[in-house]
Amino acid sequence: MTIRVLIADDDPLVRRALSFFVEDATDLALIGEAADGAEAVARCRDLRPDVVLMDIRMPGTDGLAAIEVLARELPDVRVIAVTTYASDETVLAALLAGAVGFLVKDTDPDQIVAAVRAAHEGGFVLSPAVARELVQSVAATVRAPQPLSPIEAVSERERDVISLVARGLSNAEIARELFLAEATVKSHLRRIMLRWKARDRTQVLIRAVRAGLVRLD
């Protein structure tokens, strides 16, 4: 199956570079480009891409506003936020707006392509540096740990999975780290999300930080 990708960035050189990475992958197809958030939303309405690589900072309608609209109107379109520098505030804002991942623009091309594939498969994408920013952002708002209730309790193996999510590892990377099948990792995460009433890995990570299960040291 070919993954249909749209790129939104106000810098034509960045669009050209990302386009090259996408078109170089045999299972990805570039179906459109946009130079700002409003154009990105309009093109998504017309073209219905599978995955959007969305720059956060653009003139006019920025990426965050565009992500919010797409999450509301076209929830099947998976958006990966992309920016030059990932501050803790922008990471959290993008993920809460509805992005399924966050990458910095100097991410290795192979990792960008892998992120598109993971997003299309329903996965969640955070580079390790970005994951740390997210953990730091949430931790700064926690004055005292909010312990898990008995019904939210997790096993030691589930704690291992959560700690690796906090490091920004993908399901496949977590599986290799813990010597598990990738399907087993997905099962652990599904059970955690069900128990915690979490919509996605972002909410799992936020709950884990607030419970004191994830630390920066």
Side-chain angles (χ1 to χ4, degrees), residues 64-109:
L64 288 177
I67 291 170
E68 289 178 346
V69 173
L70 292 175
R72 184 172 62 252
E73 293 187 12
L74 301 172
D76 290 337
V77 175
R78 310 279 288 174
V79 182
I80 300 174
V82 184
T83 192
T84 303
Y85 173 72
S87 69
D88 53 4
E89 292 180 354
T90 57
V91 172
L92 187 57
L95 298 178
L96 292 178
V100 300
F102 199 114
L103 298 173
V104 289
K105 290 181 181 178
D106 62 357
T107 299
D108 184 84

Side-chain angles (χ1 to χ4, degrees), residues 31-205:
I31 64 166
E33 298 182 11
D36 60 41
E39 185 181 8
V41 171
R43 302 225 69 191
C44 285
R45 286 170 177 155
D46 290 339
L47 301 174
R48 301 299 174 99
D50 298 310
V51 178
V52 178
L53 292 171
M54 180 81 73
D55 185 24
I56 292 297
R57 301 187 185 281
M58 293 184 284
T61 303
D62 66 14
L64 288 177
I67 291 170
E68 289 178 346
V69 173
L70 292 175
R72 184 172 62 252
E73 293 187 12
L74 301 172
D76 290 337
V77 175
R78 310 279 288 174
V79 182
I80 300 174
V82 184
T83 192
T84 303
Y85 173 72
S87 69
D88 53 4
E89 292 180 354
T90 57
V91 172
L92 187 57
L95 298 178
L96 292 178
V100 300
F102 199 114
L103 298 173
V104 289
K105 290 181 181 178
D106 62 357
T107 299
D108 184 84
D110 289 340
Q111 293 180 337
I112 292 175
V113 171
V116 171
R117 292 176 180 140
H120 181 249
E121 293 171 359
F124 185 79
V125 184
L126 283 182
S127 64
V130 171
R132 184 176 178 83
E133 291 287 356
L134 177 58
V135 171
Q136 190 170 27
S137 177
V138 176
T141 68
V142 177
R143 296 181 179 178
Q146 302 166 15
L148 299 177
S149 67
I151 199 171
E152 293 177 303
V154 293
S155 67
E156 285 301 316
R157 180 56 82 192
E158 288 169 339
R159 283 175 179 257
D160 293 339
V161 170
I162 291 167
S163 69
L164 295 177
V165 168
R167 283 170 46 189
L169 274 63
S170 67
N171 289 344
E173 291 168 333
I174 293 173
R176 288 194 294 271
E177 187 84 10
L178 298 179
F179 302 100
L180 299 172
E182 188 173 350
T184 302
V185 173
K186 291 179 180 178
S187 294
H188 282 310
L189 283 170
R190 278 196 299 269
R191 285 196 293 270
I192 294 167
M193 285 189 281
L194 181 63
R195 212 173 299 143
W196 290 3
K197 294 181 172 59
R199 182 184 67 243
D200 51 35
R201 287 166 62 127
T202 303
Q203 292 188 347
V204 167
L205 188 50

